[in-house]
Amino acid sequence: MAAARILVVDDEPDIRATIGDILEDEGYAVDLAESAAAAREARRSRQPDVVLLDIWMPDLDGISLLREWNERGGLPCPVVMISGHGTVETAVEATRLGAWDFIEKPISLTKLLLVVGHALEAGRLKRENEGLRRQLPAPAELVGSGRATQALRAQIDKLAAHDTGVLVQGEPGTGKETLARALHERSTRRAGPFVTVAAGAIAREHAAIALFGAEDANGLQQGLIEQANGGTLFLDEVADLDPELQLRLSSVIERRALIRCGGHEPVAIGARVIAATAHDLEALVAAGRFREELYYQLKVVPLTVPPLRERSDDIPELLRYHADWFANRDKLPYRHFPVAVQNRLRHYVWPGNLRELRNLVQRLLVLGSGGDVGLDEVELALGQVATATVPAAAAGSAPAIDFSLPLREAREQFERAYLLYQLDAAGGSVGKLAKAVGMERTHLYRKLKDLDIDPRGGARE
């Protein structure tokens, strides 16, 4: 993993150089700035993990710079103030503006390293918490001891020792994001962020800023790619990126740097790229719908996730794991899957793969009663899944609708079944779903939320 980056802002050359030398000797990457203007530029070009900021400087004092950062999108990271003759009022104002700690001059080597270490840990925990808030809680383990899963786990262990790009291929719902997370957790970047870019879920008009960030005279906004620095960037369903974004992404991977929207200078990027797709990218390249250079940049090492029907030996473990997980997360009563039920589900074809299994287990825990899951419950649940995911012509009947319901509720029942089918046909891509059903994407997201449909099938893949 890349060394933590410390920005030292102090107008006294001797102090600036001394602090820089001490921190570099401890293995940190250090940027030095002699003024507020230099600090702005250093922060713009390379995002620091901690800032050491002198209070008294000739062009603009540290408190004013702290206030400026705080008003323009929040502090970039933990900021430690350096003061030789601060007052109580100064300390109170800096604390109010978000300063993390203070170091007094003359600087104690022991205290400097202690404060920097604690600030780095605080920044890491904050990023992790923010990442957890952005994401749906989901199982992040490769569950199963069948041959296919053991082979996949062995491949991940080998790849974890390297920093190369990986292209994860597999049907929708097979757990591609879970695999990417497992690879991240086994790698040297595990202490860094894991940032997911769900290409199909970003509105086209905001996609460039969301991915590459933006900057203007009023400040800067980090994009998702920049937020992955020091960690892993997971490109979920990369085939959904439009041609312009494909071109810009290819340039970022090639140059290991990006230019924010509205910016002019490159920003260094140090993230491992793991991409995933349920599509045949080679066919899309041949059809002119995916950039060839980006395809080869992503496919340094291809990794295929087998569908669940080829992992039938894992079904018993997966059922136990998810029953336990939902019982703990949602405080549902734990239920046991008897051998007869396990055997029935081992021979089920699982068109929705792991996503379908998770939803099935959750449904059985929510709606069922008693300690053991019965075969009749499973057959009923599988029948409802088939109704929701197979068109009437193929199923031999129309979707089941309770005609005793009021019109509004019956309509919602039909709309939910219809959108679930269309979402499955679109491979989980909201962009493709919007085109298929003829809805504007913002309205579609609202409709999915109203119908309690998670575009990602209830968990990230």
Side-chain angles (χ1 to χ4, degrees):
M1 179 181 170
R5 182 166 295 280
I6 316 295
L7 172 58
V8 181
V9 187
D10 196 303
D11 65 317
E12 298 183 56
D14 290 344
I15 293 179
R16 199 166 61 242
T18 299
I19 295 176
D21 290 343
I22 291 171
L23 294 174
E24 286 180 346
D25 287 344
E26 292 296 316
Y28 297 118
V30 180
D31 292 321
L32 303 178
E34 72 281 2
S35 63
R40 292 192 195 99
E41 176 60 24
R43 183 199 162 192
R44 188 209 63 77
S45 60
R46 287 193 288 198
Q47 177 70 12
D49 296 300
V50 169
V51 175
L52 301 178
L53 177 60
D54 188 22
I55 290 180
W56 304 111
M57 296 185 294
D59 60 337
L60 185 73
D61 64 89
I63 297 295
S64 297
L65 182 58
L66 189 69
R67 181 181 297 107
E68 174 187 306
W69 282 343
N70 195 43
E71 292 174 350
R72 295 180 179 178
L75 300 182
C77 58
V79 177
V80 178
M81 307 303 294
I82 302 175
S83 173
H85 39 272
T87 63
V88 173
E89 290 79 7
T90 301
V92 170
E93 177 67 3
T95 302
R96 186 183 69 80
L97 293 171
W100 193 82
D101 204 344
F102 288 82
I103 297 178
E104 293 183 355
K105 297 178 182 177
I107 295 173
S108 160
L109 170 60
T110 302
K111 182 170 183 179
L112 171 68
L113 296 179
L114 186 66
V115 169
V116 167
H118 288 168
L120 285 169
E121 179 65 12
R124 183 186 67 81
L125 291 174
K126 181 181 178 182
R127 288 193 301 272
E128 286 184 357
N129 289 335
E130 289 173 347
L132 289 172
R133 285 196 295 269
R134 285 196 301 265
Q135 297 163 6
L136 292 170
E141 301 178 25
L142 285 176
V143 179
S145 54
R147 288 185 179 180
T149 303
Q150 289 188 37
L152 194 59
R153 198 176 284 118
Q155 287 180 283
I156 291 174
D157 288 339
K158 287 182 180 179
L159 289 174
H162 305 280
D163 211 26
T164 186
V166 177
L167 177 62
V168 184
Q169 299 165 296
E171 295 178 6
T174 48
K176 294 184 285 294
E177 182 168 343
T178 298
L179 185 147
R181 285 183 179 277
L183 180 53
H184 171 77
E185 290 299 326
R186 286 165 169 77
S187 74
T188 57
R189 293 178 175 269
R190 57 185 169 273
F194 182 95
V195 177
T196 296
V197 175
I202 303 175
R204 184 179 296 271
E205 60 271 23
H206 304 306
I209 291 177
L211 289 176
F212 304 100
E215 63 177 273
D216 54 28
N218 295 320
L220 61 86
Q221 173 185 334
Q222 278 193 329
L224 291 169
I225 296 175
E226 196 173 346
Q227 291 173 29
N229 263 339
T232 299
L233 177 70
F234 176 64
L235 301 171
D236 191 11
E237 198 42 79
V238 69
D240 284 345
L241 291 173
D242 67 33
E244 179 185 353
L245 295 179
Q246 291 179 31
L247 177 61
R248 292 187 65 168
L249 179 61
S250 176
S251 176
V252 170
I253 295 174
E254 176 69 26
R255 302 171 184 271
R256 293 187 174 272
L258 61 78
I259 296 178
R260 302 186 189 102
C261 297
H264 302 286
E265 298 297 326
V267 178
I269 296 299
R272 181 180 197 171
V273 178
I274 302 177
T277 183
H279 298 274
D280 184 345
L281 288 188
E282 191 169 358
L284 294 180
V285 169
R289 294 165 52 195
F290 197 84
R291 298 192 69 88
E292 184 176 22
E293 65 271 27
L294 179 58
Y295 170 62
Y296 287 112
Q297 287 170 329
L298 297 175
K299 194 184 177 181
V300 177
V301 177
L303 196 59
T304 300
V305 187
L308 190 53
R309 61 183 174 273
E310 296 178 9
R311 297 174 50 196
S312 60
D313 290 347
D314 292 338
I315 297 297
E317 290 177 73
L318 287 165
L319 293 172
R320 288 193 297 271
Y321 176 86
H322 287 94
D324 183 66
W325 190 76
F326 282 118
N328 288 323
R329 190 196 72 167
D330 299 338
K331 308 305 178 187
L332 297 171
Y334 180 85
R335 304 192 69 199
H336 175 252
F337 289 78
V339 173
V341 172
Q342 294 179 23
N343 188 57
R344 169 67 179 95
L345 295 177
R346 281 183 52 150
H347 291 87
Y348 179 59
V349 294
W350 298 108
N353 291 297
L354 279 174
R355 181 186 295 144
E356 183 182 358
L357 182 141
R358 270 199 294 268
N359 290 348
L360 175 70
V361 172
Q362 185 179 27
R363 183 184 302 112
L364 292 169
L365 266 59
V366 169
L367 300 179
S369 60
D372 285 355
V373 176
L375 269 175
D376 55 341
E377 294 179 79
V378 172
E379 295 297 348
L380 178 61
L382 294 179
Q384 289 174 344
V385 170
T387 297
T389 58
V390 178
S397 62
I401 297 177
D402 185 350
F403 289 98
S404 67
L405 293 173
L407 176 61
R408 179 176 176 274
E409 294 181 23
R411 183 174 63 244
E412 288 182 353
Q413 194 176 75
F414 170 77
E415 288 179 341
R416 191 172 193 279
Y418 171 77
L419 289 174
L420 280 169
Y421 166 70
Q422 295 290 356
L423 182 62
D424 184 70
S429 166
V430 177
K432 293 180 180 179
L433 174 62
K435 293 178 183 178
V437 302
M439 291 181 69
E440 195 274 327
R441 193 176 299 195
T442 302
H443 295 160
L444 177 59
Y445 272 112
R446 190 177 300 117
K447 172 62 72 174
L448 293 174
K449 183 178 180 180
D450 290 343
L451 296 173
D452 196 26
I453 297 176
D454 183 350
R456 305 182 63 80
R460 292 186 180 273
E461 292 302 333

